[in-house]
Amino acid sequence: MTTVTDQHPKEDADIYFETHAAPTNLALVASALNTFLTHHRVAGRRVVLVSSGGTMVPLENQTVRFIDNFSAGTRGATSAEYFLEMGYAVIFLHRQFSLLPYSRHYSHSTNCFLDFLSEWGRIGEDDDAPEGTGDGDVVVRRKYKAQMLDVLRKYRRANEQKLLYLLPFTTVSSYLFYLREVATQMQIFGSEGLFYLAAAVSDFFVPPSRMAEHKIQSGDLPDPLAEDSTPATTKSDSKGGRKLMIDLDPVPKFLKRLVERWAPDGMIVSFKLETDPSILLQKCHMALNRYQHNLVIGNLLATRKYEVVFVSPDGEEWIRVPQAKDGETQIEIESEIVPKVVDMHERIIKEKKAAKRA
Ligand code: PAZ
C-alpha cells in the first residue's frame, strides 16, 4: 500500500488522505492489483487505467443524501472495450453500478436483456422461431445472434486471459485512494502505462470534520444564529424562512499529483466536460497548461457522443462521427478516440525510450 513520504512538503492532497478513511478493502485491492499488473508485465502487455462514471459526495456519515456527478459510464465502458481490442490490459476504475464493458450492450435503460431472448417454438412478433432443443428452451432471437456472439467472444477472451480488472468506487474519496494505489503500482510499466481519466470527479466535498453523522433533518434545521459544525447550516431568506446551506471545500488538484508523483512516466489523458461551447477549448488549454500532461479530450454534454476535441501540445483536433438517424446504429466515437490515443501512446513510448538511450 502507498504511504506519503517526507520527501515533499505536506500539501492539501496529503491532508486529504490523512483526514479520510481509506476504503476498507484497500489492502485486498492492492494485492489483487499487484497480481494483475505483474502478470501483464511478464506477458509484455501494456496496461491502461480507464476511470469511468461519476463520483458521489456524501452529506452525512451514515449516508442518505449525497451530491453526484453526471456520468452514465458509457465513455469509459466503451473505451475499455476498444483498448482491450488493441491489446491492452485494462484496469476499469468505475462507479459502482455504472455501465461495464461488454455487459453495457444489454444493461440499463436502453436495452433490457430479456428483449434479446425468446422462447423456443414461439412464433410471432419478430422472434423468427430460432433453433432450440424443445419446449422450455430460452434462445437468443435470431436478429441479435451475430452481434451477441461477437460481444460474447470478446468478453470470454477478456475473462480467459484475465485482461480486465474491475475496480468499483462510490465516493470521491474512495476513487482517489484507488487512483493513487493503481497509479503507484503501475509505475513498473514506466511509459507503457496509460491513464485515461473519463470519470466525472467532483470538485467539491464535505470535510469529515464538518460531516453530519446522521441524516440531516429537514423539519428540524439548526438555528441560523447558532454555531454549528455540520455541513448543513441555515440562513434566513428574504421572507424570514430557513434555507439549508451546504458548505463544501474544494477537492485538491489530484491530477497534478498524478502527473508529478504517482505516474511521472506514464501517458496521462484527462477529459474535460463543459456545457457552454464558448469556453470548452479555453478550459482544455488551461488544464493542459496547468497539469502539463499529454492530452485533454474536451466534450460538451449535449454532443459528447458525436464530437470531441483533442487538445495536446501538438494543437487541437476535432473528432466527429455522424449522428445516427432513427433506426440506424450509432457509430461509437470511442472507436475513433481510442486508436488515436494508442497512436499517441506509441509515439510517447518511442520518444521516451529514445531520450533514455541518448
Ligand atoms: O459517462 P458518459 O459517457 O455519460 O459521459 C462521459 C463524460 C462526459 C463524463 C466524459 O467524457 C468526461 O468528460 N469526463 C470528465 C468530466 C469532467 O470534466 O470532470
PDB file of all heavy atoms in Angstrom, residues 53-64:
ATOM      1  N   GLY A  53     -17.539   6.918 -14.959  1.00  0.00           N
ATOM      2  CA  GLY A  53     -18.683   7.140 -14.070  1.00  0.00           C
ATOM      3  C   GLY A  53     -18.455   8.352 -13.178  1.00  0.00           C
ATOM      4  O   GLY A  53     -17.370   8.939 -13.146  1.00  0.00           O
ATOM      5  N   GLY A  54     -19.473   8.713 -12.437  1.00  0.00           N
ATOM      6  CA  GLY A  54     -19.385   9.903 -11.587  1.00  0.00           C
ATOM      7  C   GLY A  54     -19.065   9.542 -10.146  1.00  0.00           C
ATOM      8  O   GLY A  54     -19.387   8.448  -9.681  1.00  0.00           O
ATOM      9  N   THR A  55     -18.431  10.476  -9.442  1.00  0.00           N
ATOM     10  CA  THR A  55     -18.159  10.235  -8.021  1.00  0.00           C
ATOM     11  C   THR A  55     -19.296  10.809  -7.177  1.00  0.00           C
ATOM     12  O   THR A  55     -19.926  11.800  -7.565  1.00  0.00           O
ATOM     13  CB  THR A  55     -16.845  10.905  -7.579  1.00  0.00           C
ATOM     14  OG1 THR A  55     -16.963  12.304  -7.790  1.00  0.00           O
ATOM     15  CG2 THR A  55     -15.656  10.351  -8.340  1.00  0.00           C
ATOM     16  N   MET A  56     -19.475  10.215  -6.023  1.00  0.00           N
ATOM     17  CA  MET A  56     -20.531  10.662  -5.118  1.00  0.00           C
ATOM     18  C   MET A  56     -19.884  11.367  -3.912  1.00  0.00           C
ATOM     19  O   MET A  56     -18.823  10.943  -3.454  1.00  0.00           O
ATOM     20  CB  MET A  56     -21.285   9.394  -4.692  1.00  0.00           C
ATOM     21  CG  MET A  56     -22.412   9.605  -3.780  1.00  0.00           C
ATOM     22  SD  MET A  56     -21.900   9.191  -2.119  1.00  0.00           S
ATOM     23  CE  MET A  56     -22.905   7.775  -1.836  1.00  0.00           C
ATOM     24  N   VAL A  57     -20.520  12.444  -3.462  1.00  0.00           N
ATOM     25  CA  VAL A  57     -20.037  13.182  -2.291  1.00  0.00           C
ATOM     26  C   VAL A  57     -21.089  13.071  -1.199  1.00  0.00           C
ATOM     27  O   VAL A  57     -22.168  13.665  -1.314  1.00  0.00           O
ATOM     28  CB  VAL A  57     -19.790  14.670  -2.655  1.00  0.00           C
ATOM     29  CG1 VAL A  57     -19.496  15.501  -1.423  1.00  0.00           C
ATOM     30  CG2 VAL A  57     -18.662  14.796  -3.658  1.00  0.00           C
ATOM     31  N   PRO A  58     -20.805  12.304  -0.154  1.00  0.00           N
ATOM     32  CA  PRO A  58     -21.824  12.138   0.897  1.00  0.00           C
ATOM     33  C   PRO A  58     -22.011  13.416   1.701  1.00  0.00           C
ATOM     34  O   PRO A  58     -21.050  14.147   1.933  1.00  0.00           O
ATOM     35  CB  PRO A  58     -21.251  11.033   1.794  1.00  0.00           C
ATOM     36  CG  PRO A  58     -19.952  10.629   1.226  1.00  0.00           C
ATOM     37  CD  PRO A  58     -19.586  11.566   0.131  1.00  0.00           C
ATOM     38  N   LEU A  59     -23.232  13.661   2.128  1.00  0.00           N
ATOM     39  CA  LEU A  59     -23.504  14.803   3.006  1.00  0.00           C
ATOM     40  C   LEU A  59     -23.594  14.361   4.460  1.00  0.00           C
ATOM     41  O   LEU A  59     -23.568  15.197   5.357  1.00  0.00           O
ATOM     42  CB  LEU A  59     -24.818  15.481   2.598  1.00  0.00           C
ATOM     43  CG  LEU A  59     -24.854  16.078   1.199  1.00  0.00           C
ATOM     44  CD1 LEU A  59     -26.192  16.760   0.946  1.00  0.00           C
ATOM     45  CD2 LEU A  59     -23.717  17.057   0.996  1.00  0.00           C
ATOM     46  N   GLU A  60     -23.781  13.057   4.668  1.00  0.00           N
ATOM     47  CA  GLU A  60     -23.877  12.531   6.030  1.00  0.00           C
ATOM     48  C   GLU A  60     -22.981  11.309   6.131  1.00  0.00           C
ATOM     49  O   GLU A  60     -22.778  10.612   5.127  1.00  0.00           O
ATOM     50  CB  GLU A  60     -25.325  12.101   6.336  1.00  0.00           C
ATOM     51  CG  GLU A  60     -26.355  13.220   6.239  1.00  0.00           C
ATOM     52  CD  GLU A  60     -27.510  12.861   5.303  1.00  0.00           C
ATOM     53  OE1 GLU A  60     -27.356  11.897   4.514  1.00  0.00           O
ATOM     54  OE2 GLU A  60     -28.547  13.525   5.354  1.00  0.00           O
ATOM     55  N   ASN A  61     -22.458  11.072   7.328  1.00  0.00           N
ATOM     56  CA  ASN A  61     -21.602   9.897   7.523  1.00  0.00           C
ATOM     57  C   ASN A  61     -22.382   8.614   7.276  1.00  0.00           C
ATOM     58  O   ASN A  61     -21.914   7.717   6.592  1.00  0.00           O
ATOM     59  CB  ASN A  61     -21.068   9.918   8.947  1.00  0.00           C
ATOM     60  CG  ASN A  61     -19.598   9.620   8.962  1.00  0.00           C
ATOM     61  OD1 ASN A  61     -19.016   9.198   7.958  1.00  0.00           O
ATOM     62  ND2 ASN A  61     -18.991   9.849  10.108  1.00  0.00           N
ATOM     63  N   GLN A  62     -23.549   8.517   7.883  1.00  0.00           N
ATOM     64  CA  GLN A  62     -24.453   7.406   7.567  1.00  0.00           C
ATOM     65  C   GLN A  62     -25.312   7.946   6.427  1.00  0.00           C
ATOM     66  O   GLN A  62     -26.327   8.594   6.658  1.00  0.00           O
ATOM     67  CB  GLN A  62     -25.278   7.031   8.787  1.00  0.00           C
ATOM     68  CG  GLN A  62     -24.380   6.572   9.951  1.00  0.00           C
ATOM     69  CD  GLN A  62     -25.181   5.964  11.089  1.00  0.00           C
ATOM     70  OE1 GLN A  62     -26.161   5.254  10.871  1.00  0.00           O
ATOM     71  NE2 GLN A  62     -24.756   6.248  12.323  1.00  0.00           N
ATOM     72  N   THR A  63     -24.860   7.675   5.214  1.00  0.00           N
ATOM     73  CA  THR A  63     -25.306   8.486   4.074  1.00  0.00           C
ATOM     74  C   THR A  63     -26.709   8.163   3.586  1.00  0.00           C
ATOM     75  O   THR A  63     -26.994   7.045   3.151  1.00  0.00           O
ATOM     76  CB  THR A  63     -24.320   8.316   2.900  1.00  0.00           C
ATOM     77  OG1 THR A  63     -22.998   8.516   3.388  1.00  0.00           O
ATOM     78  CG2 THR A  63     -24.623   9.302   1.786  1.00  0.00           C
ATOM     79  N   VAL A  64     -27.554   9.172   3.642  1.00  0.00           N
ATOM     80  CA  VAL A  64     -28.860   9.122   3.000  1.00  0.00           C
ATOM     81  C   VAL A  64     -28.844  10.075   1.801  1.00  0.00           C
ATOM     82  O   VAL A  64     -29.272   9.742   0.717  1.00  0.00           O
ATOM     83  CB  VAL A  64     -29.975   9.531   3.985  1.00  0.00           C
ATOM     84  CG1 VAL A  64     -31.324   9.594   3.287  1.00  0.00           C
ATOM     85  CG2 VAL A  64     -30.023   8.555   5.160  1.00  0.00           C
TER      86      VAL A  64
END
